[in-house]
Amino acid sequence: MYAMSLGDDGAELRPLEPWQADEFLAHMDRGREFIGARNGLPDVVTDLESSRAFLRAYAEKAAADTGRIHGIRLDGTLVGAVILRTLDTAHGTAEAGCWLEPAATGRGLVTRAARALVDWAIEVRGIHRVEWVVSSDNAPSIAVARRLGMTRDAVLRESHAYRGRRHDEEVWSVLAPEWRAARSAESAGPAG
């Protein structure tokens, strides 16, 4: 299995597969309350079988080329993930998402991992538009969308029911030409 370095701090991005269900469940247990504050995944992954089923669903998406899941590891420990919830190469669209357990926050891990995933979607799979759908009260995830160079396209008022409350959701996106222009500007460095 391959690993992609996310920097000098020992962080890596690796695919997650069904055989890693034990490790994925342990990760979810460590972050269950924190992740569950904004993400329904801890309500879905509650035991070994549901962990395996979740990873199996993403393995099937990967085989069908309709989605991906990659774990974020810090010094070898699974601490979060980035996903392509949807991947539609015929229409050139994808929706990315993420989560992280609390001990790994504040290090830029999600931004670095999401940048690698978005770059892969655009440059390797030919995706034209990558979306990031986030609750309006999830400031850290909105900050990631901004750092990725995304534009807020819409606020869907009270569109998402979660744990007995309706939440506004924001749709952020980046288009392939914008992504490439920003990457070129980064590569060029500061003018002067």
Side-chain angles (χ1 to χ4, degrees), residues 1-2 13-28 45 47-48 51-56 59 69-73 76 78:
M1 180 192 323
Y2 70 87
L13 190 63
R14 292 185 193 176
L16 282 171
E17 299 176 5
W19 63 269
Q20 297 165 307
D22 284 330
E23 181 182 24
F24 188 68
L25 178 60
H27 153 64
M28 197 54 51
V45 177
D47 58 20
L48 186 57
S51 178
R52 190 173 291 115
F54 181 80
L55 294 177
R56 189 178 312 115
I69 184 169
H70 285 75
I72 301 170
R73 296 180 177 278
L78 180 64

mmCIF file of all heavy atoms in Angstrom, residues 1-2 13-28 45 47-48 51-56 59 69-73 76 78:
data_model
loop_
_atom_site.group_PDB
_atom_site.id
_atom_site.type_symbol
_atom_site.label_atom_id
_atom_site.label_comp_id
_atom_site.label_asym_id
_atom_site.label_seq_id
_atom_site.Cartn_x
_atom_site.Cartn_y
_atom_site.Cartn_z
ATOM 1 N N MET A 1 0.847 -1.176 0.000
ATOM 2 C CA MET A 1 0.000 0.000 0.000
ATOM 3 C C MET A 1 0.890 1.235 0.000
ATOM 4 O O MET A 1 1.946 1.258 0.602
ATOM 5 C CB MET A 1 -0.885 -0.002 1.247
ATOM 6 C CG MET A 1 -1.779 1.207 1.264
ATOM 7 S SD MET A 1 -2.645 1.571 2.795
ATOM 8 C CE MET A 1 -3.065 0.002 3.427
ATOM 9 N N TYR A 2 0.449 2.262 -0.678
ATOM 10 C CA TYR A 2 1.251 3.469 -0.761
ATOM 11 C C TYR A 2 0.885 4.448 0.346
ATOM 12 O O TYR A 2 -0.184 4.410 0.920
ATOM 13 C CB TYR A 2 1.091 4.137 -2.120
ATOM 14 C CG TYR A 2 -0.269 4.753 -2.338
ATOM 15 C CD1 TYR A 2 -0.524 6.062 -1.922
ATOM 16 C CD2 TYR A 2 -1.293 4.048 -2.936
ATOM 17 C CE1 TYR A 2 -1.767 6.635 -2.108
ATOM 18 C CE2 TYR A 2 -2.526 4.617 -3.123
ATOM 19 C CZ TYR A 2 -2.768 5.907 -2.706
ATOM 20 O OH TYR A 2 -3.995 6.481 -2.884
ATOM 21 N N LEU A 13 -0.829 10.370 4.253
ATOM 22 C CA LEU A 13 -2.150 10.085 3.714
ATOM 23 C C LEU A 13 -2.078 8.710 3.079
ATOM 24 O O LEU A 13 -1.199 8.457 2.253
ATOM 25 C CB LEU A 13 -2.523 11.151 2.678
ATOM 26 C CG LEU A 13 -3.952 11.173 2.167
ATOM 27 C CD1 LEU A 13 -4.926 11.476 3.301
ATOM 28 C CD2 LEU A 13 -4.091 12.217 1.069
ATOM 29 N N ARG A 14 -2.991 7.807 3.504
ATOM 30 C CA ARG A 14 -3.012 6.449 2.960
ATOM 31 C C ARG A 14 -4.461 6.016 2.735
ATOM 32 O O ARG A 14 -5.331 6.381 3.507
ATOM 33 C CB ARG A 14 -2.417 5.443 3.950
ATOM 34 C CG ARG A 14 -0.961 5.574 4.188
ATOM 35 C CD ARG A 14 -0.509 4.444 5.068
ATOM 36 N NE ARG A 14 0.826 4.688 5.571
ATOM 37 C CZ ARG A 14 1.432 3.893 6.414
ATOM 38 N NH1 ARG A 14 0.832 2.825 6.875
ATOM 39 N NH2 ARG A 14 2.651 4.172 6.812
ATOM 40 N N PRO A 15 -4.703 5.169 1.729
ATOM 41 C CA PRO A 15 -6.054 4.637 1.548
ATOM 42 C C PRO A 15 -6.477 3.839 2.783
ATOM 43 O O PRO A 15 -5.637 3.233 3.454
ATOM 44 C CB PRO A 15 -5.930 3.714 0.339
ATOM 45 C CG PRO A 15 -4.632 4.029 -0.296
ATOM 46 C CD PRO A 15 -3.762 4.655 0.740
ATOM 47 N N LEU A 16 -7.767 3.861 3.068
ATOM 48 C CA LEU A 16 -8.335 3.013 4.116
ATOM 49 C C LEU A 16 -9.107 1.887 3.442
ATOM 50 O O LEU A 16 -9.845 2.127 2.481
ATOM 51 C CB LEU A 16 -9.273 3.814 5.014
ATOM 52 C CG LEU A 16 -8.605 4.688 6.058
ATOM 53 C CD1 LEU A 16 -9.624 5.599 6.739
ATOM 54 C CD2 LEU A 16 -7.902 3.821 7.095
ATOM 55 N N GLU A 17 -8.952 0.672 3.953
ATOM 56 C CA GLU A 17 -9.572 -0.503 3.352
ATOM 57 C C GLU A 17 -10.274 -1.323 4.417
ATOM 58 O O GLU A 17 -9.979 -1.178 5.613
ATOM 59 C CB GLU A 17 -8.497 -1.323 2.638
ATOM 60 C CG GLU A 17 -7.812 -0.539 1.519
ATOM 61 C CD GLU A 17 -6.687 -1.297 0.852
ATOM 62 O OE1 GLU A 17 -6.465 -2.488 1.180
ATOM 63 O OE2 GLU A 17 -6.017 -0.706 -0.007
ATOM 64 N N PRO A 18 -11.207 -2.194 4.024
ATOM 65 C CA PRO A 18 -11.995 -2.954 5.005
ATOM 66 C C PRO A 18 -11.167 -3.752 6.011
ATOM 67 O O PRO A 18 -11.581 -3.893 7.168
ATOM 68 C CB PRO A 18 -12.849 -3.885 4.127
ATOM 69 C CG PRO A 18 -13.015 -3.122 2.850
ATOM 70 C CD PRO A 18 -11.693 -2.407 2.658
ATOM 71 N N TRP A 19 -9.993 -4.237 5.618
ATOM 72 C CA TRP A 19 -9.182 -5.013 6.553
ATOM 73 C C TRP A 19 -8.662 -4.159 7.714
ATOM 74 O O TRP A 19 -8.182 -4.682 8.719
ATOM 75 C CB TRP A 19 -8.033 -5.721 5.841
ATOM 76 C CG TRP A 19 -7.024 -4.832 5.174
ATOM 77 C CD1 TRP A 19 -7.046 -4.394 3.892
ATOM 78 C CD2 TRP A 19 -5.848 -4.278 5.763
ATOM 79 N NE1 TRP A 19 -5.957 -3.595 3.633
ATOM 80 C CE2 TRP A 19 -5.202 -3.504 4.765
ATOM 81 C CE3 TRP A 19 -5.270 -4.350 7.027
ATOM 82 C CZ2 TRP A 19 -4.016 -2.816 5.005
ATOM 83 C CZ3 TRP A 19 -4.083 -3.668 7.263
ATOM 84 C CH2 TRP A 19 -3.473 -2.907 6.255
ATOM 85 N N GLN A 20 -8.811 -2.829 7.616
ATOM 86 C CA GLN A 20 -8.378 -1.935 8.681
ATOM 87 C C GLN A 20 -9.535 -1.524 9.602
ATOM 88 O O GLN A 20 -9.444 -0.549 10.334
ATOM 89 C CB GLN A 20 -7.743 -0.691 8.066
ATOM 90 C CG GLN A 20 -6.484 -1.012 7.276
ATOM 91 C CD GLN A 20 -6.054 0.131 6.387
ATOM 92 O OE1 GLN A 20 -6.838 0.638 5.588
ATOM 93 N NE2 GLN A 20 -4.801 0.540 6.532
ATOM 94 N N ALA A 21 -10.613 -2.299 9.599
ATOM 95 C CA ALA A 21 -11.813 -1.962 10.364
ATOM 96 C C ALA A 21 -11.542 -1.827 11.860
ATOM 97 O O ALA A 21 -12.112 -0.950 12.512
ATOM 98 C CB ALA A 21 -12.910 -2.998 10.107
ATOM 99 N N ASP A 22 -10.688 -2.675 12.428
ATOM 100 C CA ASP A 22 -10.357 -2.577 13.870
ATOM 101 C C ASP A 22 -9.735 -1.218 14.180
ATOM 102 O O ASP A 22 -10.134 -0.547 15.130
ATOM 103 C CB ASP A 22 -9.359 -3.673 14.287
ATOM 104 C CG ASP A 22 -9.986 -5.035 14.424
ATOM 105 O OD1 ASP A 22 -11.179 -5.117 14.757
ATOM 106 O OD2 ASP A 22 -9.269 -6.030 14.185
ATOM 107 N N GLU A 23 -8.749 -0.849 13.388
ATOM 108 C CA GLU A 23 -8.055 0.418 13.589
ATOM 109 C C GLU A 23 -8.999 1.605 13.369
ATOM 110 O O GLU A 23 -8.961 2.598 14.109
ATOM 111 C CB GLU A 23 -6.866 0.502 12.630
ATOM 112 C CG GLU A 23 -6.058 1.763 12.779
ATOM 113 C CD GLU A 23 -4.919 1.840 11.777
ATOM 114 O OE1 GLU A 23 -4.991 1.188 10.704
ATOM 115 O OE2 GLU A 23 -3.959 2.576 12.067
ATOM 116 N N PHE A 24 -9.859 1.495 12.363
ATOM 117 C CA PHE A 24 -10.808 2.565 12.073
ATOM 118 C C PHE A 24 -11.805 2.729 13.225
ATOM 119 O O PHE A 24 -12.111 3.850 13.641
ATOM 120 C CB PHE A 24 -11.541 2.266 10.757
ATOM 121 C CG PHE A 24 -12.396 3.403 10.276
ATOM 122 C CD1 PHE A 24 -11.822 4.581 9.832
ATOM 123 C CD2 PHE A 24 -13.779 3.290 10.256
ATOM 124 C CE1 PHE A 24 -12.603 5.634 9.379
ATOM 125 C CE2 PHE A 24 -14.566 4.329 9.804
ATOM 126 C CZ PHE A 24 -13.983 5.504 9.365
ATOM 127 N N LEU A 25 -12.273 1.624 13.789
ATOM 128 C CA LEU A 25 -13.186 1.686 14.932
ATOM 129 C C LEU A 25 -12.484 2.308 16.143
ATOM 130 O O LEU A 25 -13.069 3.154 16.837
ATOM 131 C CB LEU A 25 -13.713 0.292 15.274
ATOM 132 C CG LEU A 25 -14.644 0.222 16.483
ATOM 133 C CD1 LEU A 25 -15.894 1.081 16.264
ATOM 134 C CD2 LEU A 25 -15.010 -1.232 16.757
ATOM 135 N N ALA A 26 -11.225 1.936 16.395
ATOM 136 C CA ALA A 26 -10.478 2.527 17.517
ATOM 137 C C ALA A 26 -10.328 4.035 17.324
ATOM 138 O O ALA A 26 -10.485 4.819 18.270
ATOM 139 C CB ALA A 26 -9.111 1.855 17.649
ATOM 140 N N HIS A 27 -10.048 4.454 16.103
ATOM 141 C CA HIS A 27 -9.960 5.885 15.792
ATOM 142 C C HIS A 27 -11.296 6.570 16.066
ATOM 143 O O HIS A 27 -11.354 7.625 16.693
ATOM 144 C CB HIS A 27 -9.530 6.063 14.328
ATOM 145 C CG HIS A 27 -9.982 7.326 13.688
ATOM 146 N ND1 HIS A 27 -9.570 8.576 14.105
ATOM 147 C CD2 HIS A 27 -10.835 7.533 12.650
ATOM 148 C CE1 HIS A 27 -10.146 9.496 13.340
ATOM 149 N NE2 HIS A 27 -10.922 8.885 12.460
ATOM 150 N N MET A 28 -12.375 5.963 15.605
ATOM 151 C CA MET A 28 -13.698 6.554 15.804
ATOM 152 C C MET A 28 -14.028 6.626 17.292
ATOM 153 O O MET A 28 -14.581 7.629 17.765
ATOM 154 C CB MET A 28 -14.747 5.739 15.051
ATOM 155 C CG MET A 28 -16.048 6.443 14.829
ATOM 156 S SD MET A 28 -15.951 8.068 14.028
ATOM 157 C CE MET A 28 -14.958 7.757 12.588
ATOM 158 N N VAL A 45 -20.673 4.224 12.582
ATOM 159 C CA VAL A 45 -19.582 3.302 12.911
ATOM 160 C C VAL A 45 -19.566 3.116 14.428
ATOM 161 O O VAL A 45 -18.979 3.905 15.168
ATOM 162 C CB VAL A 45 -18.224 3.843 12.402
ATOM 163 C CG1 VAL A 45 -17.088 2.915 12.808
ATOM 164 C CG2 VAL A 45 -18.260 4.004 10.885
ATOM 165 N N ASP A 47 -19.493 -0.384 15.908
ATOM 166 C CA ASP A 47 -18.885 -1.654 16.283
ATOM 167 C C ASP A 47 -18.039 -2.154 15.109
ATOM 168 O O ASP A 47 -17.978 -1.492 14.064
ATOM 169 C CB ASP A 47 -19.943 -2.676 16.701
ATOM 170 C CG ASP A 47 -20.978 -2.944 15.615
ATOM 171 O OD1 ASP A 47 -20.727 -2.657 14.421
ATOM 172 O OD2 ASP A 47 -22.074 -3.443 15.955
ATOM 173 N N LEU A 48 -17.425 -3.295 15.275
ATOM 174 C CA LEU A 48 -16.508 -3.796 14.250
ATOM 175 C C LEU A 48 -17.228 -4.045 12.924
ATOM 176 O O LEU A 48 -16.710 -3.702 11.860
ATOM 177 C CB LEU A 48 -15.807 -5.066 14.731
ATOM 178 C CG LEU A 48 -14.720 -5.602 13.811
ATOM 179 C CD1 LEU A 48 -13.647 -4.546 13.542
ATOM 180 C CD2 LEU A 48 -14.111 -6.857 14.414
ATOM 181 N N SER A 51 -18.014 -0.777 11.217
ATOM 182 C CA SER A 51 -16.765 -0.189 10.750
ATOM 183 C C SER A 51 -16.340 -0.852 9.443
ATOM 184 O O SER A 51 -15.994 -0.187 8.462
ATOM 185 C CB SER A 51 -15.678 -0.356 11.813
ATOM 186 O OG SER A 51 -14.446 0.169 11.375
ATOM 187 N N ARG A 52 -16.409 -2.174 9.432
ATOM 188 C CA ARG A 52 -16.051 -2.925 8.224
ATOM 189 C C ARG A 52 -17.008 -2.572 7.078
ATOM 190 O O ARG A 52 -16.582 -2.370 5.938
ATOM 191 C CB ARG A 52 -16.096 -4.425 8.516
ATOM 192 C CG ARG A 52 -15.521 -5.280 7.425
ATOM 193 C CD ARG A 52 -15.434 -6.763 7.811
ATOM 194 N NE ARG A 52 -14.428 -6.956 8.842
ATOM 195 C CZ ARG A 52 -14.698 -7.367 10.094
ATOM 196 N NH1 ARG A 52 -15.935 -7.611 10.472
ATOM 197 N NH2 ARG A 52 -13.722 -7.544 10.961
ATOM 198 N N ALA A 53 -18.300 -2.463 7.366
ATOM 199 C CA ALA A 53 -19.288 -2.143 6.330
ATOM 200 C C ALA A 53 -19.038 -0.756 5.741
ATOM 201 O O ALA A 53 -19.155 -0.564 4.527
ATOM 202 C CB ALA A 53 -20.703 -2.235 6.900
ATOM 203 N N PHE A 54 -18.702 0.220 6.599
ATOM 204 C CA PHE A 54 -18.416 1.564 6.105
ATOM 205 C C PHE A 54 -17.210 1.550 5.175
ATOM 206 O O PHE A 54 -17.252 2.106 4.067
ATOM 207 C CB PHE A 54 -18.178 2.523 7.274
ATOM 208 C CG PHE A 54 -17.900 3.928 6.844
ATOM 209 C CD1 PHE A 54 -18.932 4.780 6.488
ATOM 210 C CD2 PHE A 54 -16.600 4.408 6.779
ATOM 211 C CE1 PHE A 54 -18.683 6.082 6.073
ATOM 212 C CE2 PHE A 54 -16.326 5.704 6.371
ATOM 213 C CZ PHE A 54 -17.375 6.541 6.019
ATOM 214 N N LEU A 55 -16.132 0.898 5.586
ATOM 215 C CA LEU A 55 -14.934 0.837 4.747
ATOM 216 C C LEU A 55 -15.179 0.006 3.484
ATOM 217 O O LEU A 55 -14.652 0.319 2.417
ATOM 218 C CB LEU A 55 -13.750 0.302 5.541
ATOM 219 C CG LEU A 55 -13.269 1.207 6.679
ATOM 220 C CD1 LEU A 55 -12.135 0.549 7.452
ATOM 221 C CD2 LEU A 55 -12.845 2.577 6.158
ATOM 222 N N ARG A 56 -16.017 -1.027 3.591
ATOM 223 C CA ARG A 56 -16.361 -1.835 2.424
ATOM 224 C C ARG A 56 -17.136 -0.985 1.409
ATOM 225 O O ARG A 56 -16.897 -1.082 0.199
ATOM 226 C CB ARG A 56 -17.193 -3.043 2.834
ATOM 227 C CG ARG A 56 -17.410 -4.045 1.711
ATOM 228 C CD ARG A 56 -18.210 -5.286 2.137
ATOM 229 N NE ARG A 56 -17.740 -5.890 3.360
ATOM 230 C CZ ARG A 56 -18.461 -5.948 4.504
ATOM 231 N NH1 ARG A 56 -19.671 -5.438 4.575
ATOM 232 N NH2 ARG A 56 -17.953 -6.538 5.574
ATOM 233 N N ALA A 59 -14.649 0.945 -0.379
ATOM 234 C CA ALA A 59 -13.879 0.082 -1.287
ATOM 235 C C ALA A 59 -14.683 -0.162 -2.564
ATOM 236 O O ALA A 59 -14.120 -0.147 -3.671
ATOM 237 C CB ALA A 59 -13.535 -1.240 -0.604
ATOM 238 N N ILE A 69 -11.706 7.057 0.083
ATOM 239 C CA ILE A 69 -11.435 7.411 1.476
ATOM 240 C C ILE A 69 -9.945 7.195 1.734
ATOM 241 O O ILE A 69 -9.377 6.172 1.320
ATOM 242 C CB ILE A 69 -12.291 6.593 2.472
ATOM 243 C CG1 ILE A 69 -12.054 7.064 3.904
ATOM 244 C CG2 ILE A 69 -12.039 5.102 2.327
ATOM 245 C CD1 ILE A 69 -13.042 6.510 4.914
ATOM 246 N N HIS A 70 -9.318 8.187 2.356
ATOM 247 C CA HIS A 70 -7.900 8.111 2.713
ATOM 248 C C HIS A 70 -7.739 8.524 4.160
ATOM 249 O O HIS A 70 -8.268 9.568 4.579
ATOM 250 C CB HIS A 70 -7.064 9.025 1.820
ATOM 251 C CG HIS A 70 -6.882 8.492 0.448
ATOM 252 N ND1 HIS A 70 -7.878 8.506 -0.498
ATOM 253 C CD2 HIS A 70 -5.811 7.908 -0.136
ATOM 254 C CE1 HIS A 70 -7.424 7.958 -1.615
ATOM 255 N NE2 HIS A 70 -6.182 7.588 -1.428
ATOM 256 N N GLY A 71 -7.008 7.725 4.897
ATOM 257 C CA GLY A 71 -6.748 8.026 6.295
ATOM 258 C C GLY A 71 -5.602 9.005 6.446
ATOM 259 O O GLY A 71 -4.626 8.966 5.697
ATOM 260 N N ILE A 72 -5.749 9.873 7.422
ATOM 261 C CA ILE A 72 -4.679 10.788 7.809
ATOM 262 C C ILE A 72 -3.982 10.143 9.000
ATOM 263 O O ILE A 72 -4.613 9.847 10.011
ATOM 264 C CB ILE A 72 -5.239 12.169 8.208
ATOM 265 C CG1 ILE A 72 -6.016 12.790 7.055
ATOM 266 C CG2 ILE A 72 -4.106 13.086 8.668
ATOM 267 C CD1 ILE A 72 -6.813 14.037 7.445
ATOM 268 N N ARG A 73 -2.689 9.919 8.866
ATOM 269 C CA ARG A 73 -1.908 9.286 9.928
ATOM 270 C C ARG A 73 -0.861 10.260 10.441
ATOM 271 O O ARG A 73 -0.263 11.000 9.669
ATOM 272 C CB ARG A 73 -1.232 8.025 9.408
ATOM 273 C CG ARG A 73 -2.236 6.987 8.993
ATOM 274 C CD ARG A 73 -1.562 5.730 8.465
ATOM 275 N NE ARG A 73 -2.557 4.741 8.139
ATOM 276 C CZ ARG A 73 -3.119 3.923 9.023
ATOM 277 N NH1 ARG A 73 -2.730 3.950 10.278
ATOM 278 N NH2 ARG A 73 -4.050 3.072 8.643
ATOM 279 N N GLY A 76 2.184 7.248 12.274
ATOM 280 C CA GLY A 76 1.655 5.906 12.087
ATOM 281 C C GLY A 76 0.255 5.672 12.632
ATOM 282 O O GLY A 76 -0.359 4.648 12.332
ATOM 283 N N LEU A 78 -3.737 6.379 12.947
ATOM 284 C CA LEU A 78 -4.865 6.935 12.214
ATOM 285 C C LEU A 78 -5.548 7.987 13.088
ATOM 286 O O LEU A 78 -6.014 7.686 14.179
ATOM 287 C CB LEU A 78 -5.858 5.832 11.855
ATOM 288 C CG LEU A 78 -7.097 6.252 11.081
ATOM 289 C CD1 LEU A 78 -6.720 6.798 9.702
ATOM 290 C CD2 LEU A 78 -8.057 5.069 10.956
#
